[in-house]
Amino acid sequence: MSEVKMSAKDLRLWYGDFEALKTVSLDMNKNSVTALIGPSGCGKSTFLKTLNRMNDLVEGCRIEGDVRLDGEDIFQKGYDLALLRKRVGMVFQKPNPFPMSIYDNIAYGPRVHGIRKKKVLDEIVEKALRGAALWDEVHDRLRKSAMGLSGGQQQRLCIARVMAVEPEVVLMDEPTSALDPISTQRIEDLMAELKKKFTIVIVTHNMQQAARIADRTAFFLKGEIVEAGDTLQIFQQPRDKRTEDYITGRFG
Amino acid sequence: MRKIIDNVQRSVLWLCGGIAVAFLAVILVYVIARGVPYINWEFLSTAYRPGLDQEGIRDIIVGTLAMVGLTLVIAVPIGVLAAIFMAEYAKKGKVLTTIRFCVESLAGIPSILYGLFGYTFFCLQLAFGFSLLSSALTLAIMVLPVIIRSTEEALFTVPDSYREGSLALGASKLTTLFRVILPCAIPGILSAIILSMGRVMGETAAVYYTAGTMARAPSSVMSSTRSLAVHLYLLVKEGLESGDAFATATILIVIVVGLNALANFVAKRLSRKLTGGN
Ligand SMILES: Nc1ncnc2c1ncn2[C@@H]1O[C@H](COP(=O)(O)OP(=O)(O)OP(=O)(O)O)[C@@H](O)[C@H]1O
Ligand SMILES: [Mg+2]
């Protein structure tokens, strides 16, 4: 069996009085893609944002339970938040390049983490862009603003930006929902490549996408995980009636 | 039918725009046309000594620039920091709403009240007298709401997705502020500064009561001095020399436009440099 990279155990989360996650437990394996599926508002993004503690920013958000990265509790006192977010990167639903040059976008993370040498940065930028299958398209305009790229390119730039800080886990929240089919295809291809190095957790509304790219799939409903398991099993022999209803499109 | 409405709409828009531009143009042309004949090197390079038949505005220009400079040096850091605190750090709630309400009210107070306050508090109470310092402090309080409001506005327009993107890469809040948010907000902050400069240079009442009317370049922050707007006011009030008044007005316009252009230029350069892109 593959090794568990990140795990959540009996995780409960409240936004004010509203309980958005009700005792959720999930293991995310190393070098594999875990897909989170489920209807809108069921807590997928919330769960994802707990893994790199982006929920800390939300006023009135309260968390109970246990999330571990390599067996270490990420909510323990004195845990290095900057390091956590470096190790657990995040790609957002809407591409969000900074309004700076392509180069500076990629170099942003490494610079934040203390890398200053131009030569080192140059190498990181090239490697990250190659890793995100974007190098060939942009290598001759690294100094141009990233805002001039197409949506699909911007999203790959955001992936490259995350990879430039050499994360161990990459969280993706519907990374292709704002993209056209061809860009989506490229990013899916990319994910197959990325999982050789990283642990990937992806939220998707697209059943086919989950089936294509994920090794394991978790089905969320109203703040709970109804069922989690191998993608094949989830899609072909769901154990729970509600899972079956959802993946066959009977509600959602 | 649709087309007619469309055309009417367009014409009305053009008309309104045209009227606004026309007014501006008429005022500018009128003032400048009457002022330019009186502007010469002597006018610009000598001090104002009416008794000695010397009516230049050199010292008054210096006084005005010093006043604008000192006011901004006081008001911009305080205003920008306050806005950053309010927009980025303060918890949303009653306190913040109250502060905003106060700031907004402060913006609506007639300038003569600032003058009165500055006179009694800075000139008399703190014994700064009629001085550059008294007036700059007064004017700083006066433009603070403008700076706070527009800086806050500018910070609000920076999408949250930038903040999230930066924080998710492990950047601290402060790094995010300096490397991502402020560069985006700089044009807005600069325009606040431009607006403030305009208000300071156009102000008479508050300056009259705090800086006095001494037509000398200030030798220190404690000296009394005169701004172009006050000078203009006095010239008009005395009813003499309408040519000099228009000449002074022309110079005032040139300085305002010049400083605007400069601020714009700096804003462009700065935000390009900070964001590294083009
Ligand atoms: N910042 C917040 N404050 C209060 N409630 C929130 C907040 N963020 C999310 N929620 C609520 O928590 C629940 C779960 O939201 P979440 O964004 O995790 O859903 P999701 O599964 O990602 O949905 P979608 O597929 O639409 O993205 C929703 O009911 C939502 O309204
Ligand atoms: Mg979501």
Side-chain angles (χ1 to χ4, degrees):
Chain A
M1 261 314 276
S2 40
E3 188 185 332
V4 174
K5 181 71 187 173
M6 258 195 125
S7 69
K9 195 151 182 303
D10 298 333
L11 181 68
R12 302 178 74 187
L13 182 147
W14 292 263
Y15 291 120
D17 292 335
F18 175 71
E19 189 173 11
L21 294 178
K22 307 167 188 168
T23 329
V24 169
S25 299
L26 185 68
D27 286 345
M28 286 144 280
N29 292 336
K30 206 167 192 168
N31 298 4
S32 81
V33 176
T34 305
L36 313 181
I37 59 171
S40 194
C42 63
K44 307 178 297 291
S45 301
T46 300
F47 178 76
L48 203 66
K49 282 193 286 184
T50 310
L51 301 179
N52 66 345
R53 290 186 55 183
M54 285 298 278
N55 277 327
D56 288 18
L57 303 170
V58 178
E59 260 174 59
C61 173
R62 197 156 55 80
I63 295 169
E64 257 176 35
D66 193 61
V67 178
R68 288 174 185 274
L69 173 61
D70 285 337
E72 253 195 307
D73 180 6
I74 65 166
F75 284 107
Q76 66 184 278
K77 257 215 168 93
Y79 197 81
D80 185 344
L81 201 56
L83 185 64
L84 171 69
R85 290 183 182 155
K86 178 182 178 307
R87 292 175 66 190
V88 183
M90 182 161 214
V91 176
F92 296 83
Q93 177 169 5
K94 252 182 64 201
N96 60 347
F98 303 132
M100 17 173 127
S101 70
I102 294 170
Y103 184 98
D104 287 327
N105 260 281
I106 310 287
Y108 184 87
R111 280 176 177 147
V112 161
H113 295 286
I115 298 174
R116 287 273 170 276
K117 284 213 186 74
K118 171 122 185 10
K119 231 186 105 213
V120 181
L121 285 173
D122 285 350
E123 274 164 23
I124 292 175
V125 169
E126 175 165 353
K127 193 167 151 228
L129 284 171
R130 283 194 191 282
L134 192 57
W135 175 257
D136 293 337
E137 290 157 66
V138 302
H139 68 92
D140 52 353
R141 50 168 166 152
L142 295 178
R143 297 287 165 192
K144 293 263 165 61
S145 171
M147 308 311 270
L149 298 175
S150 75
Q153 289 174 325
Q154 286 188 359
Q155 194 62 303
R156 276 180 282 146
L157 180 82
C158 292
I159 294 174
R161 190 171 67 185
V162 166
M163 285 172 22
V165 296
E166 304 195 314
E168 296 156 35
V169 181
V170 180
L171 312 173
M172 300 183 166
D173 196 347
E174 304 183 44
T176 60
S177 67
L179 306 181
D180 63 276
I182 292 175
S183 305
T184 300
Q185 179 66 49
R186 301 200 62 160
I187 286 179
E188 285 183 14
D189 293 346
L190 191 56
M191 265 184 269
E193 203 53 43
L194 293 181
K195 78 170 183 188
K196 291 179 190 155
K197 285 177 65 188
F198 308 104
T199 303
I200 296 178
V201 186
I202 178 175
V203 172
T204 177
H205 269 288
N206 183 327
M207 293 306 116
Q208 282 83 12
Q209 183 169 61
R212 275 194 303 265
I213 61 173
D215 301 294
R216 283 168 50 84
T217 298
F219 171 52
F220 278 71
L221 191 63
K222 296 190 186 131
E224 287 174 291
I225 294 185
V226 170
E227 187 168 354
D230 284 343
T231 300
L232 220 56
Q233 177 252 309
I234 293 280
F235 278 89
Q236 292 180 350
Q237 298 145 342
R239 295 200 184 94
D240 196 291
K241 178 82 170 51
R242 290 168 295 174
T243 315
E244 186 178 348
D245 286 348
Y246 183 70
I247 55 180
T248 52
R250 238 163 282 167
F251 72 88
Chain B
M1 192 58 203
R2 228 228 185 88
K3 204 161 176 189
I4 297 175
I5 293 176
D6 214 47
N7 279 333
V8 170
Q9 262 180 7
R10 189 175 312 216
S11 326
V12 170
L13 276 179
W14 272 100
L15 193 69
C16 296
I19 291 174
V21 173
F23 269 124
L24 182 65
V26 166
I27 293 174
L28 285 184
V29 168
Y30 181 77
V31 170
I32 292 173
R34 297 194 55 174
V36 164
Y38 293 86
I39 297 176
N40 52 39
W41 181 239
E42 202 196 326
F43 180 71
L44 293 174
S45 66
T46 58
Y48 184 70
R49 305 229 164 77
L52 299 173
D53 211 23
Q54 203 180 309
E55 326 247 282
I57 57 166
R58 180 194 70 199
D59 286 3
I60 297 163
I61 293 177
V62 174
T64 307
L65 293 178
M67 196 173 294
V68 171
L70 190 57
T71 303
L72 293 182
V73 164
I74 297 166
V76 170
I78 298 176
V80 170
L81 286 178
I84 288 174
F85 176 75
M86 287 165 64
E88 302 287 330
Y89 288 90
K91 270 220 165 75
K92 286 160 200 60
K94 271 221 174 75
V95 182
L96 193 61
T97 326
T98 311
I99 295 179
R100 277 216 184 94
F101 176 75
C102 293
V103 168
E104 233 149 278
S105 311
L106 220 52
I109 294 178
S111 64
I112 183 72
L113 289 185
Y114 287 99
L116 191 63
F117 169 76
Y119 173 66
T120 50
F121 188 68
F122 295 121
C123 301
L124 303 182
Q125 193 88 35
L126 298 182
F128 292 160
F130 283 138
S131 63
L132 187 59
L133 184 62
S134 297
S135 71
L137 287 167
T138 309
L139 292 167
I141 297 174
M142 194 177 88
V143 296
L144 214 46
V146 178
I147 296 178
I148 293 178
R149 287 288 299 155
S150 338
T151 304
E152 248 202 318
E153 248 5 280
L155 292 171
F156 286 148
T157 57
V158 179
D160 273 339
S161 64
Y162 295 174
R163 295 181 179 85
E164 284 174 352
S166 171
L167 293 170
L169 285 166
S172 68
K173 225 175 152 173
L174 202 64
T175 309
T176 304
L177 180 69
F178 275 101
R179 302 285 309 274
V180 179
I181 302 175
L182 280 184
C184 297
I186 274 193
I189 296 174
L190 255 293
S191 73
I193 294 176
I194 292 174
L195 226 66
S196 315
M197 285 193 310
R199 274 199 80 178
V200 170
M201 282 198 278
E203 185 51 45
T204 44
V207 177
Y208 190 85
Y209 283 115
T210 51
T213 57
M214 175 88 87
R216 295 273 184 289
S219 55
S220 81
V221 293
M222 299 315 278
S223 4
S224 167
T225 190
R226 187 188 285 194
S227 75
L228 281 165
V230 170
H231 185 56
L232 188 54
Y233 169 72
L234 293 173
L235 288 178
V236 174
K237 196 176 84 170
E238 278 155 25
L240 325 157
E241 310 294 352
S242 81
D244 276 1
F246 280 109
T248 304
T250 305
I251 299 300
L252 189 54
I253 290 170
V254 168
I255 293 179
V256 171
V257 172
L259 286 180
N260 276 5
L262 182 72
N264 258 322
F265 176 75
V266 172
K268 282 223 179 79
R269 288 294 293 269
L270 210 56
S271 94
R272 189 178 309 160
K273 196 161 152 210
L274 285 171
T275 55
N278 36 15

PDB file of all heavy atoms in Angstrom, chain A residues 15 18 20 38-47 49 58 93 173-174 203 205, ligand 1:
ATOM      1  N   TYR A  15     -18.163  27.718  10.668  1.00  0.00           N
ATOM      2  CA  TYR A  15     -18.101  29.148  10.345  1.00  0.00           C
ATOM      3  C   TYR A  15     -19.138  29.806  11.232  1.00  0.00           C
ATOM      4  O   TYR A  15     -20.335  29.725  10.953  1.00  0.00           O
ATOM      5  CB  TYR A  15     -18.466  29.399   8.889  1.00  0.00           C
ATOM      6  CG  TYR A  15     -17.461  28.882   7.880  1.00  0.00           C
ATOM      7  CD1 TYR A  15     -17.829  27.936   6.933  1.00  0.00           C
ATOM      8  CD2 TYR A  15     -16.146  29.365   7.868  1.00  0.00           C
ATOM      9  CE1 TYR A  15     -16.929  27.472   5.993  1.00  0.00           C
ATOM     10  CE2 TYR A  15     -15.241  28.895   6.928  1.00  0.00           C
ATOM     11  CZ  TYR A  15     -15.632  27.950   6.002  1.00  0.00           C
ATOM     12  OH  TYR A  15     -14.743  27.499   5.081  1.00  0.00           O
ATOM     13  N   PHE A  18     -22.436  27.854  11.988  1.00  0.00           N
ATOM     14  CA  PHE A  18     -22.712  26.885  10.937  1.00  0.00           C
ATOM     15  C   PHE A  18     -21.611  25.828  10.884  1.00  0.00           C
ATOM     16  O   PHE A  18     -20.429  26.142  10.746  1.00  0.00           O
ATOM     17  CB  PHE A  18     -22.823  27.617   9.600  1.00  0.00           C
ATOM     18  CG  PHE A  18     -22.976  26.704   8.436  1.00  0.00           C
ATOM     19  CD1 PHE A  18     -24.152  26.000   8.243  1.00  0.00           C
ATOM     20  CD2 PHE A  18     -21.941  26.540   7.531  1.00  0.00           C
ATOM     21  CE1 PHE A  18     -24.300  25.151   7.166  1.00  0.00           C
ATOM     22  CE2 PHE A  18     -22.077  25.683   6.454  1.00  0.00           C
ATOM     23  CZ  PHE A  18     -23.261  24.992   6.266  1.00  0.00           C
ATOM     24  N   ALA A  20     -19.701  23.464   8.986  1.00  0.00           N
ATOM     25  CA  ALA A  20     -19.452  23.191   7.573  1.00  0.00           C
ATOM     26  C   ALA A  20     -18.831  21.816   7.360  1.00  0.00           C
ATOM     27  O   ALA A  20     -19.009  21.207   6.309  1.00  0.00           O
ATOM     28  CB  ALA A  20     -18.547  24.269   6.989  1.00  0.00           C
ATOM     29  N   GLY A  38     -18.608  16.189  -5.003  1.00  0.00           N
ATOM     30  CA  GLY A  38     -19.817  16.401  -4.209  1.00  0.00           C
ATOM     31  C   GLY A  38     -20.522  17.662  -4.657  1.00  0.00           C
ATOM     32  O   GLY A  38     -19.923  18.503  -5.311  1.00  0.00           O
ATOM     33  N   PRO A  39     -21.800  17.766  -4.306  1.00  0.00           N
ATOM     34  CA  PRO A  39     -22.580  18.922  -4.760  1.00  0.00           C
ATOM     35  C   PRO A  39     -22.066  20.228  -4.165  1.00  0.00           C
ATOM     36  O   PRO A  39     -21.315  20.230  -3.190  1.00  0.00           O
ATOM     37  CB  PRO A  39     -23.991  18.619  -4.271  1.00  0.00           C
ATOM     38  CG  PRO A  39     -23.841  17.598  -3.207  1.00  0.00           C
ATOM     39  CD  PRO A  39     -22.604  16.828  -3.514  1.00  0.00           C
ATOM     40  N   SER A  40     -22.510  21.299  -4.751  1.00  0.00           N
ATOM     41  CA  SER A  40     -22.067  22.623  -4.329  1.00  0.00           C
ATOM     42  C   SER A  40     -22.427  22.887  -2.867  1.00  0.00           C
ATOM     43  O   SER A  40     -23.502  22.523  -2.409  1.00  0.00           O
ATOM     44  CB  SER A  40     -22.746  23.657  -5.228  1.00  0.00           C
ATOM     45  OG  SER A  40     -22.120  24.882  -5.069  1.00  0.00           O
ATOM     46  N   GLY A  41     -21.493  23.486  -2.148  1.00  0.00           N
ATOM     47  CA  GLY A  41     -21.768  23.875  -0.767  1.00  0.00           C
ATOM     48  C   GLY A  41     -21.616  22.760   0.244  1.00  0.00           C
ATOM     49  O   GLY A  41     -21.990  22.903   1.394  1.00  0.00           O
ATOM     50  N   CYS A  42     -21.030  21.623  -0.176  1.00  0.00           N
ATOM     51  CA  CYS A  42     -20.946  20.505   0.756  1.00  0.00           C
ATOM     52  C   CYS A  42     -19.646  20.516   1.562  1.00  0.00           C
ATOM     53  O   CYS A  42     -19.435  19.672   2.413  1.00  0.00           O
ATOM     54  CB  CYS A  42     -21.054  19.185  -0.008  1.00  0.00           C
ATOM     55  SG  CYS A  42     -19.697  18.952  -1.142  1.00  0.00           S
ATOM     56  N   GLY A  43     -18.786  21.478   1.302  1.00  0.00           N
ATOM     57  CA  GLY A  43     -17.609  21.610   2.147  1.00  0.00           C
ATOM     58  C   GLY A  43     -16.291  21.150   1.541  1.00  0.00           C
ATOM     59  O   GLY A  43     -15.292  21.025   2.240  1.00  0.00           O
ATOM     60  N   LYS A  44     -16.258  20.950   0.230  1.00  0.00           N
ATOM     61  CA  LYS A  44     -15.012  20.501  -0.397  1.00  0.00           C
ATOM     62  C   LYS A  44     -13.911  21.544  -0.281  1.00  0.00           C
ATOM     63  O   LYS A  44     -12.790  21.249   0.143  1.00  0.00           O
ATOM     64  CB  LYS A  44     -15.249  20.184  -1.889  1.00  0.00           C
ATOM     65  CG  LYS A  44     -16.387  19.210  -2.139  1.00  0.00           C
ATOM     66  CD  LYS A  44     -16.616  18.959  -3.612  1.00  0.00           C
ATOM     67  CE  LYS A  44     -17.024  20.179  -4.403  1.00  0.00           C
ATOM     68  NZ  LYS A  44     -18.379  20.686  -4.105  1.00  0.00           N
ATOM     69  N   SER A  45     -14.245  22.777  -0.675  1.00  0.00           N
ATOM     70  CA  SER A  45     -13.237  23.840  -0.595  1.00  0.00           C
ATOM     71  C   SER A  45     -12.826  24.067   0.855  1.00  0.00           C
ATOM     72  O   SER A  45     -11.651  24.288   1.150  1.00  0.00           O
ATOM     73  CB  SER A  45     -13.779  25.140  -1.168  1.00  0.00           C
ATOM     74  OG  SER A  45     -14.162  24.953  -2.503  1.00  0.00           O
ATOM     75  N   THR A  46     -13.802  24.015   1.721  1.00  0.00           N
ATOM     76  CA  THR A  46     -13.513  24.207   3.144  1.00  0.00           C
ATOM     77  C   THR A  46     -12.501  23.175   3.618  1.00  0.00           C
ATOM     78  O   THR A  46     -11.526  23.501   4.294  1.00  0.00           O
ATOM     79  CB  THR A  46     -14.818  24.091   3.952  1.00  0.00           C
ATOM     80  OG1 THR A  46     -15.720  25.087   3.500  1.00  0.00           O
ATOM     81  CG2 THR A  46     -14.557  24.267   5.424  1.00  0.00           C
ATOM     82  N   PHE A  47     -12.749  21.938   3.243  1.00  0.00           N
ATOM     83  CA  PHE A  47     -11.832  20.869   3.642  1.00  0.00           C
ATOM     84  C   PHE A  47     -10.432  21.127   3.073  1.00  0.00           C
ATOM     85  O   PHE A  47      -9.429  21.062   3.778  1.00  0.00           O
ATOM     86  CB  PHE A  47     -12.354  19.520   3.150  1.00  0.00           C
ATOM     87  CG  PHE A  47     -11.445  18.377   3.488  1.00  0.00           C
ATOM     88  CD1 PHE A  47     -11.393  17.877   4.774  1.00  0.00           C
ATOM     89  CD2 PHE A  47     -10.624  17.818   2.511  1.00  0.00           C
ATOM     90  CE1 PHE A  47     -10.541  16.832   5.101  1.00  0.00           C
ATOM     91  CE2 PHE A  47      -9.764  16.773   2.825  1.00  0.00           C
ATOM     92  CZ  PHE A  47      -9.729  16.281   4.128  1.00  0.00           C
ATOM     93  N   LYS A  49      -9.068  23.895   2.164  1.00  0.00           N
ATOM     94  CA  LYS A  49      -8.404  25.049   2.775  1.00  0.00           C
ATOM     95  C   LYS A  49      -7.957  24.784   4.206  1.00  0.00           C
ATOM     96  O   LYS A  49      -7.168  25.541   4.754  1.00  0.00           O
ATOM     97  CB  LYS A  49      -9.348  26.265   2.749  1.00  0.00           C
ATOM     98  CG  LYS A  49      -9.406  26.930   1.374  1.00  0.00           C
ATOM     99  CD  LYS A  49     -10.079  28.284   1.436  1.00  0.00           C
ATOM    100  CE  LYS A  49     -11.569  28.140   1.611  1.00  0.00           C
ATOM    101  NZ  LYS A  49     -12.302  29.406   1.587  1.00  0.00           N
ATOM    102  N   VAL A  58     -10.244  33.229   7.910  1.00  0.00           N
ATOM    103  CA  VAL A  58     -11.675  33.508   7.959  1.00  0.00           C
ATOM    104  C   VAL A  58     -12.086  33.822   9.396  1.00  0.00           C
ATOM    105  O   VAL A  58     -11.843  33.029  10.301  1.00  0.00           O
ATOM    106  CB  VAL A  58     -12.490  32.305   7.435  1.00  0.00           C
ATOM    107  CG1 VAL A  58     -13.979  32.584   7.524  1.00  0.00           C
ATOM    108  CG2 VAL A  58     -12.073  31.964   6.028  1.00  0.00           C
ATOM    109  N   GLN A  93      -9.324  28.189  -7.900  1.00  0.00           N
ATOM    110  CA  GLN A  93     -10.279  27.955  -8.980  1.00  0.00           C
ATOM    111  C   GLN A  93     -10.077  28.943 -10.125  1.00  0.00           C
ATOM    112  O   GLN A  93      -9.995  28.560 -11.286  1.00  0.00           O
ATOM    113  CB  GLN A  93     -11.695  28.087  -8.411  1.00  0.00           C
ATOM    114  CG  GLN A  93     -12.775  27.929  -9.450  1.00  0.00           C
ATOM    115  CD  GLN A  93     -14.148  27.805  -8.810  1.00  0.00           C
ATOM    116  OE1 GLN A  93     -14.286  27.925  -7.601  1.00  0.00           O
ATOM    117  NE2 GLN A  93     -15.150  27.565  -9.615  1.00  0.00           N
ATOM    118  N   ASP A 173      -8.232  23.588  -6.227  1.00  0.00           N
ATOM    119  CA  ASP A 173      -9.674  23.774  -6.070  1.00  0.00           C
ATOM    120  C   ASP A 173     -10.300  24.062  -7.430  1.00  0.00           C
ATOM    121  O   ASP A 173     -10.206  25.176  -7.933  1.00  0.00           O
ATOM    122  CB  ASP A 173      -9.953  24.921  -5.094  1.00  0.00           C
ATOM    123  CG  ASP A 173     -11.397  24.904  -4.611  1.00  0.00           C
ATOM    124  OD1 ASP A 173     -12.209  24.174  -5.207  1.00  0.00           O
ATOM    125  OD2 ASP A 173     -11.699  25.617  -3.637  1.00  0.00           O
ATOM    126  N   GLU A 174     -10.901  23.063  -8.021  1.00  0.00           N
ATOM    127  CA  GLU A 174     -11.496  23.186  -9.352  1.00  0.00           C
ATOM    128  C   GLU A 174     -10.588  23.961 -10.305  1.00  0.00           C
ATOM    129  O   GLU A 174     -10.974  24.999 -10.837  1.00  0.00           O
ATOM    130  CB  GLU A 174     -12.852  23.886  -9.265  1.00  0.00           C
ATOM    131  CG  GLU A 174     -13.813  23.180  -8.319  1.00  0.00           C
ATOM    132  CD  GLU A 174     -15.172  23.851  -8.292  1.00  0.00           C
ATOM    133  OE1 GLU A 174     -15.662  24.194  -9.384  1.00  0.00           O
ATOM    134  OE2 GLU A 174     -15.741  24.027  -7.206  1.00  0.00           O
ATOM    135  N   VAL A 203     -10.209  19.278  -6.011  1.00  0.00           N
ATOM    136  CA  VAL A 203     -11.673  19.367  -5.972  1.00  0.00           C
ATOM    137  C   VAL A 203     -12.148  19.475  -7.405  1.00  0.00           C
ATOM    138  O   VAL A 203     -11.590  20.240  -8.184  1.00  0.00           O
ATOM    139  CB  VAL A 203     -12.131  20.624  -5.204  1.00  0.00           C
ATOM    140  CG1 VAL A 203     -13.645  20.802  -5.331  1.00  0.00           C
ATOM    141  CG2 VAL A 203     -11.732  20.535  -3.743  1.00  0.00           C
ATOM    142  N   HIS A 205     -15.821  19.281 -10.029  1.00  0.00           N
ATOM    143  CA  HIS A 205     -17.248  19.064 -10.227  1.00  0.00           C
ATOM    144  C   HIS A 205     -17.486  18.145 -11.403  1.00  0.00           C
ATOM    145  O   HIS A 205     -18.609  17.799 -11.724  1.00  0.00           O
ATOM    146  CB  HIS A 205     -17.944  20.405 -10.509  1.00  0.00           C
ATOM    147  CG  HIS A 205     -18.443  21.052  -9.278  1.00  0.00           C
ATOM    148  ND1 HIS A 205     -19.518  20.595  -8.583  1.00  0.00           N
ATOM    149  CD2 HIS A 205     -17.991  22.111  -8.558  1.00  0.00           C
ATOM    150  CE1 HIS A 205     -19.723  21.338  -7.515  1.00  0.00           C
ATOM    151  NE2 HIS A 205     -18.801  22.274  -7.479  1.00  0.00           N
TER     152      HIS A 205
HETATM  153  N1  LIG C   1     -16.087  32.197   4.804  1.00  0.00           N
HETATM  154  C1  LIG C   1     -17.237  31.576   5.051  1.00  0.00           C
HETATM  155  N2  LIG C   1     -18.071  32.033   5.998  1.00  0.00           N
HETATM  156  C2  LIG C   1     -19.246  31.414   6.250  1.00  0.00           C
HETATM  157  N3  LIG C   1     -19.673  30.329   5.601  1.00  0.00           N
HETATM  158  C3  LIG C   1     -18.890  29.814   4.643  1.00  0.00           C
HETATM  159  C4  LIG C   1     -17.643  30.418   4.312  1.00  0.00           C
HETATM  160  N4  LIG C   1     -17.073  29.698   3.316  1.00  0.00           N
HETATM  161  C5  LIG C   1     -17.943  28.718   3.035  1.00  0.00           C
HETATM  162  N5  LIG C   1     -19.028  28.773   3.838  1.00  0.00           N
HETATM  163  C6  LIG C   1     -20.156  27.844   3.835  1.00  0.00           C
HETATM  164  O1  LIG C   1     -19.672  26.553   4.081  1.00  0.00           O
HETATM  165  C7  LIG C   1     -20.302  25.600   3.254  1.00  0.00           C
HETATM  166  C8  LIG C   1     -19.267  24.838   2.464  1.00  0.00           C
HETATM  167  O2  LIG C   1     -18.654  25.736   1.541  1.00  0.00           O
HETATM  168  P1  LIG C   1     -17.533  25.279   0.547  1.00  0.00           P
HETATM  169  O3  LIG C   1     -17.039  26.467  -0.133  1.00  0.00           O
HETATM  170  O4  LIG C   1     -16.555  24.450   1.276  1.00  0.00           O
HETATM  171  O5  LIG C   1     -18.374  24.368  -0.446  1.00  0.00           O
HETATM  172  P2  LIG C   1     -17.880  23.627  -1.750  1.00  0.00           P
HETATM  173  O6  LIG C   1     -18.157  22.193  -1.536  1.00  0.00           O
HETATM  174  O7  LIG C   1     -16.505  24.009  -2.100  1.00  0.00           O
HETATM  175  O8  LIG C   1     -18.897  24.195  -2.807  1.00  0.00           O
HETATM  176  P3  LIG C   1     -18.627  24.558  -4.339  1.00  0.00           P
HETATM  177  O9  LIG C   1     -18.656  23.300  -5.071  1.00  0.00           O
HETATM  178  O10 LIG C   1     -19.790  25.439  -4.681  1.00  0.00           O
HETATM  179  O11 LIG C   1     -17.319  25.271  -4.418  1.00  0.00           O
HETATM  180  C9  LIG C   1     -21.279  26.357   2.384  1.00  0.00           C
HETATM  181  O12 LIG C   1     -22.562  26.212   2.934  1.00  0.00           O
HETATM  182  C10 LIG C   1     -20.820  27.778   2.481  1.00  0.00           C
HETATM  183  O13 LIG C   1     -21.910  28.653   2.407  1.00  0.00           O
END
